[in-house]
Amino acid sequence: MLEPWRTGKVIKTEDITALTRRFWIQVPELEVFDFKPGQFVTLDLPIHEQKNKRWRSYSIASAPDGTNVFELVIVLLDGGAGTHYLFNEVSIGTEIMLRGPQGKFVLPETITEDLYFICTGTGIAPFRSMVQFLHKHKLPHQSLHLIFGCRKFGDGLYVDELKQLEKDEPGFYFHPCYSREEEVGPGAHKGYVHPVYEALTDMGKKPAKFYLCGWKNMIDEAKYRILQMGYDKKAIHLELYG
């Protein structure tokens, strides 16, 4: 059943990189905004007369916490009407029409295999939600690898938080990958995300499930490589951006 449109209110924003901003949105009419980690909300922004040209969907970046507040992390797109509005017209107190939660990009009921969360840029949002949720509720899982790709150190999202979570959550491993840095420190990788999961799965020798979130090019290549390693397409779950 589709959730009704509701009024959300921006209660806080914070720039996380030069072009990426965190938005905390409260839904005053609800005591609790409940959702499953990995789900998204659709915003109806006043940027066009046609409804479907006003709608923009974003994965929720926070874990459900029993309140009516959730977090989005959004990158400013060159020429993007939706993000231009969010970055230039929205401030504390701005009301936004929203619908959600929606989506089936969620964790399995029981985690019986290693999980690989593979993402680029703000595609990290649903995985941050999932990992925080698993940690908070001490849910059992196998090895859990979050492989996050971006260009430079300055583009990293939630890096310090996830490095700390790696220390606090047994069986959770964070692998930041930087495609345009010459040197990276311990625990980080130079280049793209693909060689990292190939090495970790020992080129398809370990049972696993793969969750992919980010730009289409990355997802297409990851899908191809994972199938080439011998995994079934049912082992691949994806959420496309853009």
Side-chain angles (χ1 to χ4, degrees):
M1 197 178 87
L2 210 52
E3 291 287 326
W5 288 97
R6 303 182 191 279
T7 303
K9 191 176 186 180
V10 177
I11 58 167
K12 182 183 169 188
T13 65
E14 179 189 302
D15 289 338
I16 188 170
T17 74
L19 293 174
T20 315
R21 186 172 292 170
R22 303 166 74 180
F23 293 82
W24 283 265
I25 298 174
Q26 183 178 44
V27 187
E29 70 192 71
L30 297 177
E31 271 186 41
V32 178
F33 183 79
D34 200 22
F35 60 94
K36 289 179 178 173
Q39 290 190 304
F40 64 88
V41 293
T42 298
L43 308 184
D44 183 359
L45 305 174
I47 53 174
H48 202 279
E49 284 170 20
Q50 277 175 257
K51 274 187 183 177
N52 59 349
K53 293 194 175 172
R54 297 200 303 254
W55 295 351
R56 298 290 187 276
S57 295
Y58 300 101
S59 293
I60 300 170
S62 50
D65 61 1
T67 73
N68 60 359
V69 177
F70 63 90
E71 179 187 335
L72 302 178
V73 60
I74 296 171
V75 64
L76 180 61
L77 295 176
D78 197 20
T83 59
H84 180 84
Y85 173 80
L86 288 165
F87 274 69
N88 297 310
E89 306 293 334
V90 166
S91 55
I92 307 304
T94 300
E95 292 188 340
I96 295 177
M97 293 304 292
L98 62 92
R99 182 163 71 190
Q102 294 166 265
K104 296 185 168 73
F105 189 71
V106 295
L107 289 163
E109 291 292 321
T110 53
I111 301 171
T112 55
E113 295 162 303
D114 291 353
L115 293 186
Y116 290 85
F117 293 160
I118 303 164
C119 56
T120 46
T122 53
I124 199 169
F127 301 135
R128 179 190 183 231
S129 178
M130 290 175 185
V131 172
Q132 293 280 15
F133 183 79
L134 289 170
H135 177 63
K136 184 180 168 191
H137 294 280
K138 297 187 168 44
L139 298 177
H141 58 83
Q142 307 299 314
S143 290
L144 181 57
H145 297 275
L146 174 47
I147 304 163
F148 167 63
C150 60
R151 290 176 179 175
K152 310 278 281 182
F153 294 136
D155 303 320
L157 304 177
Y158 307 114
V159 171
D160 292 342
E161 174 190 303
L162 291 163
K163 279 183 179 168
Q164 185 59 47
L165 201 60
E166 186 175 37
K167 294 175 185 163
D168 297 341
E169 177 61 30
F172 169 63
Y173 307 95
F174 178 52
H175 310 271
C177 307
Y178 302 97
S179 61
R180 302 217 180 147
E181 291 289 354
E182 289 302 313
E183 295 297 324
V184 299
H189 304 265
K190 268 168 67 171
Y192 295 110
V193 295
H194 309 293
V196 178
Y197 59 79
E198 288 176 335
L200 289 166
T201 59
D202 196 13
M203 288 302 286
K205 294 192 179 94
K206 295 177 180 171
K209 277 198 169 77
F210 301 86
Y211 283 70
L212 316 176
C213 189
W215 295 105
K216 185 176 184 305
N217 292 356
M218 182 280 286
I219 286 186
D220 286 347
E221 184 168 346
K223 237 165 63 177
Y224 174 78
R225 289 187 184 220
I226 292 163
L227 294 171
Q228 289 296 107
M229 289 192 289
Y231 289 101
D232 191 281
K233 64 173 191 255
K234 287 185 186 143
I236 304 172
H237 308 268
L238 44 104
E239 193 84 286
L240 273 174
Y241 270 43

